[in-house]
Amino acid sequence: MSGSLGARIGQIIPTLLLVSVLVFGLQQLMPGDPALIMAGEERGDPQVLAQIRAELWLDRSLPEQYVHWMDGVLHGNLGYSWRIRQPVSQLIAQKLPVTLQLAVMAFAIAVLIGVPAGIVAAVYRNRFWDYLANAIGLAGLSTPTFWLGIMLILLVSVQLQWLPPSGYVPLFEDWRQSLATTIMPAFVLGNAIAAILMRHTRSAMLTALDQDYVRTARAKGLREWTVVLRHALRNALIPVVTLGALELGTLLSGAVLTEQVFSIPGFGKMIVDAVFNRDYPVVQGVVLVTAFLYVLLNLIADVLYVVINPRLRGA
Amino acid sequence: MTAATLPSTSTPGAPAASVAPRTRSPRQLAVRRFLGRPVAVAGLVVILAFIVIAVAAPLLAPYDPIATSWSAIRKAPSAAHWMGTDENGRDVLSRVIFGARASMLAGVVSVLIAAGIGVPAGLIAGFAGGWTDTILSRIVDAMLACPFLILAIALAAFLGPDLTNAMIAIGVSTAPRFMRVARAATLDAASNEYVEAARALGNPPWRVALRHVLPNIVPPVLVQGTLAIAAAIIAEASLSFLGLGQQPPAPSWGSMLNAAQRFLSQAPWLAIFPGLAIFLVVLSFNLVGDGLRDALDPRRR
Amino acid sequence: MSHVLQVAGLKKHFTVTKGFPKPVTTIVRAVDGVDFAVQPAEAFGLVGESGCGKSTVARAALRLIEPDAGSVRFGDTDVLAARGGALRRLRRRMQIVFQDPYSSLNPRRTIGRTLAEPLSVHGIARGRAAREQAGALLAEVGLPETALDRYPHEFSGGQRQRIGIARALALQPELIVADEPVSALDVSVQAQVLLLLRELQSRRGLAFVFVSHDLGVVRWFCARVAVMYLGRIVEQGPVAEVFARPRHPYTRMLRDASPIPDPSQRGVLPRVVGEIPSAAAPPPGCHFHPRCPRATDRCTQEYPAWTDPDGHGFACHHPEPAG
């Protein structure tokens, strides 16, 4: 997988360049004239339209537009929101911490559920606990995020009235309230990843438990759970860590729906609002930034993989 | 071994050892293995049931799914309305039945779009190698770097919200996965010596690709396709939930859940039944996908 | 002199890029200038340790991979220049038998379809006629005609190898390249398959390029042999001659390491020094010098020239004494 990290780093630049072309190209799919949308009520005035076109370089050729746009992107300028006339980068910077809090909590929940479940499933392979873990995992994978959220609100907020059904309080304002508003969405968001982590952990543990060094540990007379936790788990966690990092995309996709269900003003809600406001620069900015985050995290995962796995260090 | 150990008595036409009494093709064997899995078969039965429901919706639905009734607004499930009525007095059961059409259609069509783009691309990349492979793989990397649903939302947003565009958006966003699977399977199949043998026999490259490599990438693509339908149905429901898929008043499970959210405390049944329908269909496709994977690759654990 | 196959100056290099943090590109000289010729109806052996490039030579000679340099002539035809129809006609005349009987047959095709394919590709026979010919081929390799409707997974390794041989025979080639044809088989089955190959050779007048790491098998099956080390041929000549009186120290080491069935002929314990180095970084001078008991300073600097006094050639500065 990370046989050559150098080559991996080399791959990232063309990948990011292609992402930028893709994101830029999205604009071309759009029906209608962007200038008309931007002009709003002044759309009847040809002078205003011409001015907007000149400002946005819409009167230039596509390659010129791309280079202009890319030049901005490289200088941290993702364009301006058509709706609120604010820099897109500023909007993203405001919303990103909210989603990050949600994502980190979700990932922690997923690890806390998925990894132990995977260990238990592997140890009790083809017995009751394995089947149960697999059944719950499959159910988790088959439940739409937003429906799980709605059902939880129905149960926890409407019926039991334990937690608020929606809203968000920033972490540094009131951390108790913040946790109260985010624990449910984080659980919903972590659910799908927990199922995936469970499957990965199970199969990695099965492989590890089959190795000679584990047999040796058993033959030495160590207790079974010592063997499982000290010897097998350490090696099984290596692939789990990297595969977990790959689920960032799932996390961000899920965040869009979770934030919508729980009315959390994060990154995901921003893209949905932008879509309905036809605020295309924001949509483009969000796609670009998520792709960049994804690529970056994958690189970190690859480096981690080499760091954790001594066998690959010399490669 | 050495020359001296060769048994000089044995004849070149050594007897063919025992051969099984009845011959079964790999496909027949896979079908038998699949049928030996009750859970997977149950999933298949549920899928077939939902296909029947989608096709025969007008015959099965007790009411018109878009006919509003001011006398029956938000009525709880009863003998007249098994799943209750919604905020416009429409029968929820009828809407769930008709909603199967959008979901099943979106699942199948978007996966066909994805496979239609991804499989040829993967086959070409795996078979041609070199620059072709590098360029195609980089494009796939770039597309996979954008989270699936965010890419689909962006595509649906720029294309404009309706069911057709949602299917295109989901299909295009899923295509890179098919390309990866097809490429890996192609490389795997092409490394077999029988592919080399086919070339040595004088088959032109296109014939080797179509007759020897393509049939052997079908199993993994089939598994991927089944699991992708599950993902596509969730994606369509998600887009419809966000308002980017099927447009009201046409029924779709996702948009029904969107509306249901506003009446959660007054009419929880609105949220329960469409969600259950999605869950059941998606679970069934996942079960069939897992069953297919085990049946098609018996060496796997 | 009429050769069925003539290979000269054959080279095949692979580039590999890997490493972290700085990727390093290395050129692996898998085949680095190989010459040999095969006479009609002759069994020519190609031996060496794994990784020496012998399989690459076999595949390049059939043009299953494109060599980087050199020439391959089949009869009067330039194999490397042939295209389209000419290449197809060439393929009819030379066929290959693979090492792994499990991956060399398409698992989704019946044996009948696999054997009929070469006939239809070359327009020799179709339908019923192809089936009859396929049945005859099976009979020739010692399998019943009922095998036609069965799938590869229903056969043992030895039976599959017979089917692979039948496929190679379908086009009635003049030359068969056999790439380790018995290495994957049980010893008892090896003997049967070897006997079948020998019988086919004498009945059909087939020439063989027989690639193997097993000296015993080559000694038994082949008339002449070439010994390869790190992409080059180091010794070549009649089998009995080469193995009885090896001139290159490497050949001698290989021979001493392979078991001798007659205890009275056993000498001192076989001595094998070191392992084969990577073809990516072959030692300078004579590639063999780090493992060679006879090596001198000259061997570390200069690759020895080919000397061929009497049809038994070698590349060594300090050859073992003749006779």
Side-chain angles (χ1 to χ4, degrees), chain A residues 208-228 231:
Chain A
L209 285 171
D210 212 30
Q211 301 290 318
D212 282 340
Y213 62 81
V214 170
R215 270 190 220 120
T216 311
R218 278 202 189 116
K220 281 195 296 191
L222 295 182
R223 268 181 308 177
E224 184 63 18
W225 279 105
T226 314
V227 173
V228 168
H231 293 264

Side-chain angles (χ1 to χ4, degrees), chain A residues 2 33 38 43 59 80 108 125 128 165 170 208 291 303:
Chain A
S2 60
D33 183 352
M38 271 206 78
R43 73 186 60 196
D59 49 358
Y80 285 82
R125 180 183 180 182
F128 175 76
V303 173

Side-chain angles (χ1 to χ4, degrees), chain A residues 4 12 23 59 61 78 110 112 149 167 171 180 190 195 210 215 217:
Chain A
S4 55
I12 283 176
V23 169
D59 49 358
S61 72
L78 296 171
L112 286 177
L171 192 60
D210 212 30
R215 270 190 220 120

Side-chain angles (χ1 to χ4, degrees), chain A:
Chain A
M1 172 173 182
S2 60
S4 55
L5 270 177
R8 275 290 279 115
I9 296 171
Q11 282 174 9
I12 283 176
I13 291 158
T15 302
L16 285 176
L17 267 176
L18 272 167
V19 169
S20 73
V21 172
L22 201 81
V23 169
F24 176 79
L26 279 175
Q27 218 173 2
Q28 308 309 316
L29 296 174
M30 192 172 71
D33 183 352
L36 278 177
I37 301 169
M38 271 206 78
E41 278 156 24
E42 296 166 79
R43 73 186 60 196
D45 188 343
Q47 233 175 342
V48 173
L49 288 180
Q51 195 193 336
I52 291 172
R53 286 202 181 100
E55 251 173 54
L56 295 178
W57 284 47
L58 289 175
D59 49 358
R60 311 289 184 95
S61 72
L62 273 182
E64 277 178 308
Q65 286 185 42
Y66 173 75
V67 170
H68 175 67
W69 177 76
M70 207 43 208
D71 183 56
V73 168
L74 290 175
H75 290 93
N77 175 12
L78 296 171
Y80 285 82
S81 159
W82 292 355
R83 177 69 33 154
I84 1 183
R85 313 274 162 156
Q86 262 190 49
V88 171
S89 49
Q90 201 179 319
L91 284 172
I92 291 177
Q94 281 167 11
K95 307 285 187 183
L96 199 56
V98 181
T99 304
L100 277 184
Q101 183 192 343
L102 207 57
V104 169
M105 287 173 65
F107 199 74
I109 292 173
V111 170
L112 286 177
I113 299 174
V115 172
I119 296 171
V120 168
V123 171
Y124 296 102
R125 180 183 180 182
N126 289 339
R127 279 186 276 162
F128 175 76
W129 293 112
D130 185 20
Y131 291 132
L132 186 71
N134 273 309
I136 295 176
L138 198 60
L141 279 179
S142 306
T143 312
T145 314
F146 56 97
W147 187 56
L148 182 65
I150 294 172
M151 289 294 104
L152 266 185
I153 292 176
L154 188 60
L155 179 73
V156 178
S157 304
V158 177
Q159 297 293 323
L160 302 170
Q161 307 212 328
W162 285 352
L163 292 169
S166 63
Y168 172 74
V169 177
L171 192 60
F172 296 108
E173 223 164 81
D174 179 349
W175 65 270
R176 281 162 195 267
Q177 274 302 309
S178 182
L179 286 186
T181 50
T182 47
I183 188 77
M184 221 171 16
F187 175 80
V188 168
L189 193 50
N191 157 65
I193 311 222
I196 295 167
L197 277 183
M198 191 278 283
R199 287 187 157 197
H200 285 329
T201 310
R202 179 179 180 272
S203 86
M205 280 296 287
L206 284 179
T207 312
L209 285 171
D210 212 30
Q211 301 290 318
D212 282 340
Y213 62 81
V214 170
R215 270 190 220 120
T216 311
R218 278 202 189 116
K220 281 195 296 191
L222 295 182
R223 268 181 308 177
E224 184 63 18
W225 279 105
T226 314
V227 173
V228 168
L229 295 179
R230 288 255 178 87
H231 293 264
L233 183 61
R234 282 172 81 165
N235 289 282
L237 276 184
I238 295 170
V240 172
V241 166
T242 44
L243 288 167
L246 291 176
E247 297 305 330
L248 178 77
T250 318
L251 216 54
L252 289 173
S253 290
V256 175
L257 295 160
T258 314
E259 290 175 5
Q260 192 69 17
V261 171
F262 291 92
S263 304
I264 291 175
F267 206 60
K269 191 143 183 3
M270 179 170 69
I271 187 175
V272 175
D273 292 343
V275 164
F276 283 105
N277 291 331
R278 309 193 71 185
D279 200 347
Y280 296 110
V282 175
V283 178
Q284 284 177 313
V286 170
V287 176
L288 199 65
V289 170
T290 47
F292 180 75
L293 281 178
Y294 183 82
V295 169
L296 197 72
L297 202 77
N298 270 289
L299 181 69
I300 294 172
D302 274 5
V303 173
L304 264 183
Y305 193 73
V306 175
V307 172
I308 307 176
N309 194 343
R311 270 173 297 183
L312 288 173
R313 243 169 253 163

